[in-house]
Amino acid sequence: MIKDNLTKPRVLAFKCPPDKPQAFLWDAEVRGLAVRATPNGKPAYVFQRTFRGETVRITIGKADAWSIPEARQKARELQRQLDEGVNPVEAKRARLSAAKAEEARRKVEAITVGEIWPVYLTKGRPKGKSAFRPRYLRDLKLMASPGGQRKKRGEGETLPGPIYPLLALPLADLDEDRLLAWYREQEQRGREQAKRALMMFRGFLRWSASQPEYRGPAKAAQESARADSLMAEQPAVKRRTDAIEPSQLGRWWAEVLTLPNLEVSAYLRALVMTGTRRQAMATLRWADVDLRWKVATFTDKVYGTRTVPLGDELAKLIDALPRVNEYVFHGRGKAGHIVEPRSSLARTTRAAGLGHVSIHGLRRTFALLAEEAGIPAGAAAQYMGHSPRGTHEGYKPRSLDQLRQSINRLEGHLATLTCG
């Protein structure tokens, strides 16, 4: 039977505040077992004994959920733990902690790539950078797009991006076999695109592995993405060497001058005269050009921005362009600047009897021209925005005036090749 401690004050376990009276009804059969009546009117079974000089109290459960025999059995189990030197309160706390950790682990393992991907687009960033470049961010979104949109060019709808099939998969399920199957499927659409998709996805996994909440499964997936079987599937890297040789510049230059689009003609020539990256030149704003002092500030993927002097001829070329909008090389599309000059470049190279030359090939053309003009390698590298590669290349920061001498020297050599 249960003894009512209200009639036997000597067995009260502890004193209660006067505004929160609690009653303990102690069991006469099992020592330490009691029913505690609380102010909210919901009694519960508790077990209380002394262990190593301290009072140990643990709640067994609500009285309406446990029968007296069940509560007694549980109390005996708790007493056995004490007899074995185990504190049941600490054991329960450890079990709850382990259960909580297990639940968190299961939640992490269940999280899908699609749940993390938007976070990556917002918070992710490449090594050494504060954020993704707009163009790369756009490509990331396209790689994971569901497709189904009407094509801007041609008939039909767009296909899902290469990374889209991975979005529905839990991060923890991205093992070597699954990634290899995905990659082979994407290869059917195009090897180069599949290779770029894998590169971008590796960047996503690298960032995910750096986040504490995704670290476990992300690290495992990161290792799978670097597996030998996956690496063996990728096409060999072909170093591109396309460029216009200095001896060919005269014929090509003459063809560029015949282009009906003045801005594109000036843009292509400016690329050869500066070695600037195509997007940096295309997005050059009038606000970033000072024709009085003949300097321009370009966006730069290495340094963020890069200020260089303009050669005398390039300054004249830019000054002659119409000021249509904020961009020096304005375009007729939504972007407001030149976006796709490849068709014009292809037209001029064909007319000049040259092979394929890419837009980036004009950057290599500048490097060849600078070498032939006798420009120090370090000066040419600084002007192009290359990262320093060591003193053996003669790279040291040069002032604008020093660079101006080099670029005017290059323009002089270019004039002998194109005006002969």
Side-chain angles (χ1 to χ4, degrees):
M1 61 179 291
I2 299 291
K3 296 190 293 184
D4 188 343
N5 74 334
L6 294 179
T7 61
K8 297 184 178 181
R10 59 187 178 84
V11 296
L12 281 174
F14 59 94
K15 295 180 180 181
C16 301
D19 59 334
K20 292 185 179 180
Q22 298 188 57
F24 283 79
L25 304 178
W26 297 96
D27 187 15
E29 181 175 325
V30 177
R31 294 185 61 186
L33 175 63
V35 175
R36 180 178 63 181
T38 59
N40 59 16
K42 296 180 180 180
Y45 288 106
V46 298
F47 176 77
Q48 177 177 306
R49 294 302 304 274
T50 300
F51 179 70
R52 294 177 180 172
E54 296 182 358
T55 299
V56 173
R57 181 187 301 120
I58 185 170
T59 300
I60 295 175
K62 295 180 180 179
D64 58 358
W66 290 68
S67 66
I68 292 177
E70 290 172 337
R72 285 173 175 167
Q73 181 181 352
K74 183 63 177 178
R76 291 188 179 98
E77 292 175 4
L78 296 172
Q79 182 60 56
R80 279 196 293 272
Q81 291 185 41
L82 291 175
D83 294 342
E84 293 170 356
V86 177
N87 187 331
V89 175
E90 295 178 356
K92 181 178 180 180
R93 188 179 295 119
R95 288 195 303 273
L96 292 175
S97 178
K100 186 176 181 180
E102 177 64 16
E103 182 182 3
R105 184 188 66 80
R106 289 180 179 178
K107 285 183 178 180
V108 171
E109 289 188 348
I111 195 168
T112 64
V113 174
E115 293 176 86
I116 306 174
W117 189 262
V119 183
Y120 173 61
L121 296 183
T122 302
K123 298 182 179 180
R125 59 188 180 87
K127 291 181 179 179
K129 306 293 181 181
S130 59
F132 292 123
R133 298 195 307 276
R135 184 178 177 183
Y136 189 78
L137 182 60
R138 183 198 66 189
D139 290 347
L140 284 174
K141 292 178 180 179
L142 288 175
M143 282 287 180
S145 64
Q149 301 295 319
R150 185 177 180 82
K151 290 183 178 179
K152 294 181 179 180
R153 296 181 180 178
E155 300 295 329
E157 297 180 341
T158 58
L159 296 174
I163 293 177
Y164 181 75
L166 298 175
L167 299 184
L169 300 178
L171 190 61
D173 289 354
L174 296 180
D175 56 17
E176 180 179 343
D177 293 337
R178 183 155 294 186
L179 286 174
L180 184 59
W182 162 77
Y183 185 78
R184 285 174 174 170
E185 181 181 349
Q186 297 308 315
E187 274 189 313
Q188 303 303 313
R189 295 171 56 182
R191 298 195 72 190
E192 291 299 328
Q193 185 186 46
K195 179 180 177 181
R196 188 160 191 257
L198 179 60
M199 179 272 293
M200 287 180 158
F201 195 66
R202 282 195 186 122
F204 161 75
L205 292 176
R206 182 172 58 248
W207 176 83
S208 299
S210 69
Q211 307 303 303
E213 59 268 40
Y214 316 129
R215 183 166 295 153
K219 278 189 173 295
Q222 191 179 15
E223 289 299 318
S224 298
R226 292 197 295 253
D228 291 342
S229 60
L230 198 57
M231 299 296 291
E233 291 284 324
Q234 298 180 60
V237 177
K238 296 180 180 179
R239 184 175 180 84
R240 296 181 180 179
T241 58
D242 60 285
I244 302 175
E245 294 291 336
S247 60
Q248 301 170 330
L249 271 172
R251 284 178 294 167
W252 177 79
W253 198 270
E255 295 298 333
V256 172
L257 291 175
T258 66
L259 287 174
N261 190 314
L262 177 63
E263 283 72 24
V264 173
S265 174
Y267 172 78
L268 294 177
R269 284 178 284 160
L271 290 179
V272 172
M273 297 167 78
T274 63
T276 301
R277 296 178 178 89
R278 57 172 294 176
Q279 189 68 8
M281 183 65 77
T283 56
L284 179 65
R285 290 175 166 85
W286 287 109
D288 296 324
V289 177
D290 188 334
L291 291 174
R292 178 186 178 187
W293 296 106
K294 297 180 182 179
V295 295
T297 299
F298 295 95
T299 58
D300 189 275
K301 75 173 188 177
V302 177
Y303 302 105
T305 59
R306 175 172 53 92
T307 300
V308 295
L310 298 175
D312 294 338
E313 294 304 316
L314 181 57
K316 293 177 184 178
L317 180 66
I318 291 176
D319 192 30
L321 292 173
R323 284 141 172 89
V324 177
N325 59 16
E326 62 177 317
Y327 296 105
V328 174
F329 302 99
H330 82 274
R332 297 178 178 86
K334 292 182 179 179
H337 57 74
I338 289 176
V339 175
E340 193 46 80
R342 286 185 296 183
S343 60
S344 296
L345 175 60
R347 171 183 169 180
T348 57
T349 53
R350 282 196 306 269
L354 307 180
H356 170 73
V357 178
S358 65
I359 296 295
H360 197 78
L362 300 183
R363 182 168 162 85
R364 286 186 280 270
T365 300
F366 171 87
L368 293 176
L369 187 62
E371 184 176 0
E372 189 172 272
I375 306 301
Q382 183 177 344
Y383 199 86
M384 296 173 70
H386 279 158
S387 300
R389 297 181 182 274
T391 56
H392 66 283
E393 291 186 352
Y395 191 109
K396 60 180 178 179
R398 290 164 170 82
S399 68
L400 291 178
D401 286 341
Q402 288 175 316
L403 286 178
R404 192 183 307 280
Q405 294 176 15
S406 294
I407 201 62
N408 280 328
R409 181 176 177 181
L410 181 142
E411 286 190 351
H413 182 61
L414 178 62
T416 63
L417 297 173
T418 59
C419 299

